[in-house]
Amino acid sequence: MFMKTWVKAIDSMMNEGESLVVALVLNQEGSTPRGCGTRMVLGRDAISGTIGGGWIEACTMQTARDMMGKPGAMIRSFDLTSTISDGMDMICGGHMDILIESLVPDLDNRQFFSDLTDMLNQRREGYLITEIQESGNGSCSVRRTIHRPEDADTGSISIPEPVRAIMEAGTLNPNLPVVTRLGQNCFLIESIAPDETVYLFGAGHVSREAAVLSKMIGFETVVLDDRPEFANRERFPEADEIRILSSFDCALDGLVIDGKGYIVILTRGHLHDKTVLGLALRTPARYIGMIGSRKKRDAIYRALEGEGFSGDDLARVHSPIGLSIGAQTPAEIAVSIAAELIRVRRDR
């Protein structure tokens, strides 16, 4: 579950005055259902996210129900050896440590998660530091701090220098938290970063399906077209933003596309595709994909080479777009595009 999703779930429950329990994959070794940093938020009547399902999740949920409304935390360890996993219909064979923390909607917790929500909504960057201090028999205490490089820290811990050094090194993958142990304490370091953004140029059938999936897999989603009868809230209720273009010649006007940008070109014709691709290649976008056959792609590439674009420029483009899964329908093509976006996001 992406940070914005689980933070929103906690903040919403806190604002409703609800107690809740958060289950966090603190450590995993070998083959396990989910990786470090994965969270599941459990309220009295709602669940958001998953730590992998099956026996581990069932045990965790039972513990969560027992802890609900009583502040505290504990670590449960699960060994998915062949003996245990065979009996439980699981074939992972690894080891997982799950931090299970009961939170009540007191003033401190409500303020902390409100601040974290505001930071994510404002697209500000920083780090979430979680300190876990074990006290024996699986019980532990948990404290948190938000570190903002340009502002004062917010939270209940003073960040140790070794943890600051990890943050200042600037090498953290936004999607992969780091766990480091200092003495008896364990520190989980997670990047707070704006959601990566998918720009869907074109509002046709494939784009409509792709918008649903891009939101589902954690991207901020922007739809752009010059046809208001296609690019509208009724057709794209899940989109974060819909832009009506005066022309595809100015498709990128007003946009700041950086290394977190994913450009998906799905316009209604190859001339518009060529126009948008030429503009896209002048950005540092992490991903550029264009729909169409190889014949169409090659014709567009030749035209862009005539305008001065190099082979290295064109090598950035994923075209035909999406992973090769034999997709034919708009929904199937959207699945292939979403799969390619995931692969690029994870390949860091």
Side-chain angles (χ1 to χ4, degrees):
M1 185 163 45
F2 294 92
M3 180 175 286
K4 193 170 184 179
T5 304
W6 66 258
V7 170
K8 181 179 179 181
I10 293 175
D11 190 46
S12 176
M13 291 181 188
M14 289 281 180
N15 286 332
E16 293 295 323
E18 292 186 33
S19 295
L20 59 102
V21 176
V22 180
L24 161 70
V25 179
L26 185 60
N27 178 55
Q28 56 89 215
E29 299 172 5
S31 178
T32 60
R34 301 298 301 272
C36 177
T38 303
R39 284 177 173 85
M40 177 172 62
V41 180
L42 302 99
R44 294 192 183 278
D45 302 309
I47 298 174
S48 180
T50 175
I51 55 171
W55 172 62
I56 292 176
E57 190 161 290
C59 291
T60 300
M61 290 174 67
Q62 181 58 56
T63 302
R65 283 191 285 268
D66 295 340
M67 295 174 62
M68 187 77 69
K70 298 175 285 188
M74 66 178 297
I75 296 174
R76 288 201 62 178
S77 296
F78 297 89
D79 286 303
L80 302 179
T81 63
S82 58
T83 301
I84 295 177
S85 61
D86 287 348
M88 296 296 175
D89 195 28
M90 298 184 73
I91 56 173
C92 296
H95 175 91
M96 294 179 76
D97 293 326
I98 310 295
L99 173 65
I100 308 171
E101 181 187 9
S102 178
L103 295 170
V104 296
D106 60 25
L107 183 60
D108 289 342
N109 282 332
R110 292 177 67 173
Q111 186 61 58
F112 185 89
F113 286 102
S114 176
D115 289 347
L116 188 53
T117 299
D118 289 344
M119 190 171 175
L120 288 164
N121 288 339
Q122 295 165 13
R123 301 180 63 81
R124 298 172 62 192
E125 298 189 0
Y127 297 92
L128 173 62
I129 312 300
T130 305
E131 178 192 49
I132 302 101
Q133 184 173 15
E134 299 180 46
S135 53
N137 299 320
S139 63
C140 59
S141 61
V142 180
R143 299 189 300 168
R144 299 177 187 79
T145 284
I146 299 170
H147 173 66
R148 305 177 182 89
E150 77 290 351
D151 205 346
D153 294 347
T154 298
S156 56
I157 62 175
S158 177
I159 301 174
E161 284 306 316
V163 174
R164 289 189 180 275
I166 292 172
M167 295 186 294
E168 291 168 3
T171 57
L172 281 179
N173 183 328
N175 300 306
L176 295 174
V178 169
V179 176
T180 187
R181 182 171 288 279
L182 300 176
Q184 296 300 311
N185 295 354
C186 178
F187 291 86
L188 177 70
I189 310 168
E190 300 173 275
S191 292
I192 302 171
D195 288 343
E196 293 165 303
T197 303
V198 167
Y199 299 91
L200 297 169
F201 289 92
H205 300 303
V206 175
S207 186
R208 187 177 183 182
E209 304 289 350
V212 174
L213 292 176
S214 65
K215 280 300 295 181
M216 188 181 299
I217 60 177
F219 287 96
E220 184 168 324
T221 302
V222 180
V223 178
L224 308 96
D225 203 302
D226 61 352
R227 301 167 296 173
E229 65 272 24
F230 281 82
N232 55 62
R233 187 57 63 185
E234 183 178 353
R235 282 174 50 80
F236 292 91
E238 61 288 306
D240 294 283
E241 183 180 357
I242 299 171
R243 290 190 172 217
I244 307 301
L245 305 173
S246 59
S247 165
F248 281 104
D249 292 328
C250 54
L252 271 61
D253 286 5
L255 299 177
V256 179
I257 298 178
D258 56 17
K260 294 185 177 69
Y262 292 64
I263 295 177
V264 177
I265 303 172
L266 306 168
T267 80
R268 62 185 179 277
H270 72 277
L271 291 178
H272 294 317
D273 288 345
K274 171 184 169 295
T275 298
V276 177
L277 181 56
L279 296 171
L281 288 171
R282 295 187 173 92
T283 75
R286 177 163 180 77
Y287 172 92
I288 301 172
M290 182 178 68
I291 200 169
S293 66
R294 288 177 173 82
K295 181 177 179 181
K296 166 192 154 179
R297 174 200 66 188
D298 292 344
I300 289 176
Y301 283 8
R302 286 193 297 271
L304 290 175
E305 286 174 335
E307 295 177 10
F309 288 96
S310 69
D312 288 342
D313 293 330
L314 299 173
R316 297 175 58 198
V317 185
H318 297 259
S319 185
I321 200 169
L323 297 188
S324 179
I325 58 172
Q328 294 185 1
T329 69
E332 290 173 344
I333 295 169
V335 168
S336 75
I337 294 170
E340 190 165 65
L341 296 177
I342 292 170
R343 185 175 71 178
V344 171
R345 178 168 62 187
R346 297 297 183 188
D347 183 20
R348 292 180 182 275

